[in-house]
């Protein structure tokens, strides 16, 4: 094993030296050519400013620099130019009003061909495959939201509450599985894939993240020949397994559809119905067409797990750490819902509950760096030249901590959406706050690359979060020896591009014996409809 490491090192050295020489020549040519109008931290030859950045929490360094250099500044890392934005208005100017320029995606080195497709619509460049997939997914989400996802979320929440009641210690993994079950049921009518879906999503995010494979930061290592390249071999096997799973699920759904057994409330049914409406009654497709469809449905299925499980876990954490808001939300739920578990029909009447969810996504950003955009052509902004290929990061962690917009930003304040004296207040409270529209929607991205999952995130987080508070009191755990409350780091995460908090201590206590009985009877009512 040691000899292999040494061989890899020596194979990497030439490419690293060539990269260094290229950067030195490029740096020398640029010296004296122009005066930069955007400020930024001091840059060093070759490395730029990568040496003092913690790749497991880069957003904190970007926030530190924003406090020094202002709401827009430059930096670079190993030859890649970055513009970091910490102001909503500037982000809107570049990423929305100039979305035709700044809607590319940068290369993620540890993934194969993600910019060309069809595997990951959120990571593709803008081209015909991206347009077709994005258009279909958007229409499907909107259509299903009109029916609030046909009660699938409510049924799975009843199961989730029973799981929390019977096995509360595993709430972290079970929350991710819960989100995976909902997406797998909507995609293929197979909620039993929930755990596999969650695990696959987590593995994919690892490959996408700066905190993942070292080749995402030390990119020359990717060019090591295949025979000695563990990163390429691992990713090839991982992606092949994922694609095979998606394609097999698509084939099963197609056969069930032809037999009349696939429920209409699935995305695969919607897609196959569309093919028949276009005249393809037998659903014959080329391998390329099947790959396109299975990847579109598979990635839609996959991405809906971590984008919701992370914020949901942060919500549970917020309720543990802020018991006064837990009580306020429970009082509101009891007043409106009584002995019935909350559903989407109760959303308009539960503004405190919605405010707690909205504040969670601000207080602990699920995507603290923001998803990167890339300039697709040369541009100029405020007198500054921005070259094609520059990566633009609207740093969510920083944007959510602008004190003029979000006073006392480090603390949890749902009242910022409920009381008129706060800058983020909106009326009517029967509509705002929510996760689909209004202030603070930058959580879901910008412009033409805005996440398409706001509708399901809004419904799923509301029903799940309100269901948990209806069912349980969330209590700080105490040390059995000392009786002292167990402290934990509320910013400790898996450091992926989309975050989940690391497991934290929390007790789930049924609010009463009657409520515990209602949890079990509610699950019994829907158990036969679920694959468990």
């Amino acid at each position: 094993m040691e000899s292999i490491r040494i061989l890899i090192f020596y194979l990497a050295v030439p490419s690293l030296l060539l990269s260094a020489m290229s950067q030195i020549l490029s740096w020398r040519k640029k010296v004296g050519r122009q005066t930069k109008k955007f400020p930024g931290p001091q840059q060093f030859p070759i490395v730029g400013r990568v040496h003092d950045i913690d790749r497991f929490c880069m957003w904190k360094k970007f926030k530190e620099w924003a406090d020094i250099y202002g709401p827009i500044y430059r930096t670079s890392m190993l030859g890649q130019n970055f513009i970091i934005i910490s102001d909503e208005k500037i982000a809107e100017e570049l990423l929305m009003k100039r979305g035709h320029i700044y809607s590319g995606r940068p290369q993620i080195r540890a993934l194969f061909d993600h910019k060309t497709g069809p595997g990951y619509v959120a990571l593709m460049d803008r081209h015909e495959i991206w347009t077709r997939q994005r258009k279909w997914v958007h229409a499907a989400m909107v259509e299903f939201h009109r029916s609030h996802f046909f009660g699938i979320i409510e049924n799975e929440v009843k199961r989730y509450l029973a799981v929390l009641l019977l096995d509360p210690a595993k709430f972290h993994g079970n929350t991710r599985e819960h989100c995976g079950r909902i997406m797998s049921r909507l995609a293929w009518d197979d909620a039993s894939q929930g755990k596999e879906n969650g695990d696959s999503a987590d593995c994919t995010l690892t490959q996408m993240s700066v905190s993942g494979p070292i080749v995402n930061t030390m990119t020359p290592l990717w060019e090591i020949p295949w025979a000695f390249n563990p990163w390429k071999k691992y990713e090839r096997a991982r992606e092949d397994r994922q694609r095979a799973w998606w394609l097999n699920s698509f084939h099963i759904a197609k056969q069930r559809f032809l037999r009349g057994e696939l429920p209409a409330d699935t995305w695969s049914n919607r897609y196959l119905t569309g093919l028949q409406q276009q005249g393809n009654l037998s659903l014959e497709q080329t391998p390329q067409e099947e790959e396109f469809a299975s990847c579109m449905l598979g990635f839609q299925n996959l991405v809906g797990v971590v984008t919701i499980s992370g914020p949901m876990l942060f919500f549970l954490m917020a309720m543990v750490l802020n018991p006064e808001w837990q009580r306020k939300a429970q009082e509101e739920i009891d007043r409106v819902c009584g002995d019935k578990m909350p559903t989407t029909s109760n959303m308009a009447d539960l503004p405190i509950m919605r405010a707690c969810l909205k504040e969670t996504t601000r207080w602990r950003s699920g995507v603290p760096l923001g998803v990167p955009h890339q300039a697709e052509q040369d541009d100029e902004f405020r007198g500054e030249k921005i070259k094609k290929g520059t990566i633009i990061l609207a740093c969510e962690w920083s944007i959510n901590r602008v004190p003029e917009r979000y006073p006392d930003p480090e603390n949890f304040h749902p009242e910022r959406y409920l009381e008129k004296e706060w800058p983020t207040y909106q009326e009517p409270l029967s509509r705002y706050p929510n996760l689909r529209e209004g202030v603070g929607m930058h959580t879901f991205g910008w412009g033409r690359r805005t996440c398409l999952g706001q509708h399901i995130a809004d419904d799923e987080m509301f029903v799940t979060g309100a269901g948990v508070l209806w069912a349980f009191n969330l209590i700080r755990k105490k040390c059995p020896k000392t009786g002292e409350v167990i402290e934990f780091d509320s910013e400790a995460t898996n450091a992926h591009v989309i975050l989940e908090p690391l497991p934290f201590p929390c007790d789930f206590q049924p609010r009463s014996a009657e409520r515990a009985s209602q949890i079990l009877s509610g699950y019994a009512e829907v158990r036969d409809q679920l694959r468990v």
Side-chain angles (χ1 to χ4, degrees):
M1 189 66 183
E2 185 64 27
S3 60
I4 292 175
R5 289 197 186 100
I6 293 171
L7 182 58
I8 288 173
F9 173 78
Y10 279 110
L11 287 168
V13 166
S15 59
L16 287 168
L17 288 174
L18 286 171
S19 177
M21 290 174 63
S22 174
Q23 291 308 312
I24 290 172
L25 291 172
S26 175
W27 175 68
R28 290 183 65 186
K29 288 178 182 178
K30 291 177 182 176
V31 171
R33 183 180 298 174
Q34 64 177 15
T35 302
K36 295 186 182 304
K37 295 178 176 63
F38 290 166
Q42 180 183 0
Q43 303 295 295
F44 296 91
I46 305 170
V47 298
R49 197 57 187 262
V50 73
H51 57 285
D52 59 350
I53 291 179
D54 186 344
R55 66 192 185 102
F56 295 97
C57 55
M58 291 175 68
W59 51 91
K60 292 185 180 180
K61 175 60 75 172
F62 288 165
K63 171 64 168 65
E64 178 186 322
W65 284 341
D67 293 340
I68 298 170
Y69 302 110
I72 181 168
Y73 62 88
R74 279 188 181 272
T75 188
S76 68
M77 303 178 200
L78 297 173
Q80 174 63 61
N81 291 318
F82 289 82
I83 290 178
I84 313 298
I85 299 170
S86 301
D87 178 87
E88 288 183 54
K89 295 299 182 184
I90 295 174
E92 287 173 3
E93 284 188 61
L94 281 180
L95 303 181
M96 296 176 70
K97 295 178 182 178
R98 302 192 193 190
H100 61 291
I101 297 175
Y102 297 101
S103 292
R105 286 295 195 223
Q107 177 66 50
I108 299 170
R109 189 57 283 167
L111 297 180
F112 289 109
D113 303 324
H114 69 87
K115 287 163 71 72
T116 57
Y120 311 101
V121 64
L123 306 179
M124 291 183 209
D125 277 336
R126 295 189 303 142
H127 43 60
E128 188 268 342
I129 294 175
W130 174 79
T131 299
R132 285 175 58 201
Q133 287 195 353
R134 185 174 174 85
K135 182 178 179 180
W136 191 92
V137 171
H138 174 70
M141 280 288 187
V142 170
E143 178 186 327
F144 275 46
H145 183 252
R146 291 194 193 101
S147 301
H148 288 290
F149 301 93
F150 305 98
I152 289 168
I153 295 172
E154 280 82 357
N155 286 349
E156 285 294 338
V157 169
K158 290 179 179 179
R159 177 189 179 278
Y160 176 62
L161 298 182
V163 169
L164 287 177
L165 177 68
L166 299 173
D167 195 3
K170 296 180 181 177
F171 76 93
H172 190 277
N174 286 333
T175 298
R176 185 193 293 170
E177 181 179 354
H178 164 67
C179 296
R181 286 180 60 88
I182 290 172
M183 297 305 296
S184 296
R185 168 61 180 84
L186 286 166
W188 320 109
D189 184 42
D190 189 0
S192 67
Q193 293 185 355
K195 185 178 186 306
E196 179 182 5
N197 196 9
D199 292 344
S200 183
D202 183 64
C203 193
T204 303
L205 275 178
T206 300
Q207 293 300 102
M208 291 167 51
S209 300
V210 173
S211 60
I214 191 65
V215 294
N216 283 341
T217 49
M218 299 296 291
T219 55
L221 293 173
W222 186 254
E223 303 308 324
I224 292 173
W226 176 272
F228 309 105
N229 194 318
W231 303 285
K232 282 185 177 179
K233 290 179 179 179
Y234 175 83
E235 175 55 16
R236 182 75 282 150
R238 186 205 67 81
E239 186 182 276
D240 286 350
R241 287 194 303 271
Q242 188 177 73
R243 294 284 187 94
W245 166 43
W246 288 349
L247 186 60
N248 183 60
S249 296
F250 179 71
H251 284 158
I252 292 172
K254 183 185 286 190
Q255 293 305 311
R256 292 182 65 197
F257 180 87
L258 290 170
R259 295 195 300 267
E261 299 172 359
L262 187 65
D265 55 4
T266 57
W267 286 314
S268 49
N269 185 296
R270 185 183 187 278
Y271 174 79
L272 296 167
T273 298
L275 287 184
Q276 288 194 334
Q277 290 173 345
Q278 295 167 18
N280 186 356
L281 299 181
S282 63
L283 303 181
E284 292 293 327
Q285 293 179 285
T286 66
Q288 292 76 21
E289 289 169 339
E290 287 194 330
E291 181 186 36
F292 172 92
S294 64
C295 285
M296 178 177 69
L297 294 167
F299 188 70
Q300 182 182 2
N301 170 30
L302 190 86
V303 77
V305 181
V306 287
T307 53
I308 299 177
S309 67
M312 197 67 249
L313 287 164
F314 278 122
F315 169 75
L316 300 180
M317 178 190 292
M319 294 296 95
V320 170
L321 295 177
N322 299 275
E324 71 281 8
W325 281 103
Q326 181 181 166
R327 288 192 296 272
K328 288 179 182 179
Q330 287 174 326
E331 290 167 2
E332 181 184 67
I333 290 167
D334 292 344
R335 184 175 67 254
V336 172
C337 303
D339 289 335
K340 295 183 178 180
M341 188 194 85
T343 69
T344 53
S345 65
N346 303 122
M347 290 181 78
D349 299 318
L350 297 175
I352 295 175
M353 181 65 223
R354 287 182 278 112
C356 288
L357 292 168
K358 183 87 167 184
E359 177 65 352
T360 295
T361 64
R362 185 211 63 83
W363 173 68
R364 289 292 177 265
S365 307
V367 191
L369 286 173
V371 180
H373 293 234
Q374 190 166 44
E376 297 173 297
Q377 63 188 61
D378 291 348
D379 191 27
E380 184 173 319
F381 180 69
R382 298 186 177 181
E384 176 83 343
K385 301 290 186 182
I386 299 176
K387 287 191 174 183
K388 178 180 178 180
T390 298
I391 294 175
I392 315 296
L393 277 176
C395 184
E396 187 73 7
W397 187 265
S398 299
I399 290 173
N400 283 339
R401 280 160 175 73
V402 174
E404 294 78 15
R405 183 67 163 167
Y406 302 103
D408 192 20
E410 295 301 331
N411 290 310
F412 187 78
H413 287 293
E415 68 267 33
R416 69 177 77 248
Y417 304 104
L418 300 169
E419 299 173 1
K420 292 183 178 181
E421 58 267 27
W422 292 80
T424 43
Y425 175 79
Q426 285 181 288
E427 291 182 334
L429 289 180
S430 58
R431 177 175 179 177
Y432 301 105
N434 62 64
L435 301 181
R436 300 186 314 279
E437 58 184 348
V439 300
M441 290 313 300
H442 42 76
T443 292
F444 292 91
W446 303 88
R448 303 179 187 197
R449 304 311 300 239
T450 301
C451 174
L452 298 175
Q454 292 123 303
H455 295 302
I456 192 165
D458 204 31
D459 278 15
E460 189 175 331
M461 285 191 65
F462 174 82
V463 178
T464 303
V468 169
L469 296 190
W470 171 83
F472 300 100
N473 292 317
L474 279 62
I475 308 295
R476 294 288 300 268
K477 275 196 171 184
K478 295 183 178 181
C479 175
K481 289 184 178 180
T482 67
E484 298 292 325
V485 168
I486 300 174
E487 301 295 339
F488 62 90
D489 182 359
S490 69
E491 294 184 24
T493 71
N494 58 6
H496 291 166
V497 65
I498 303 174
L499 299 184
E500 281 185 357
L502 295 183
F504 55 92
C506 176
D507 271 337
F508 293 80
Q509 296 182 357
R511 295 181 63 194
S512 66
E514 292 76 16
R515 192 57 47 91
S517 178
Q518 289 168 334
I519 293 168
L520 294 176
S521 62
Y523 175 49
E525 291 172 4
V526 300
R527 190 179 188 281
D528 291 342
Q529 303 173 42
L530 308 175
R531 296 191 185 188
V532 296

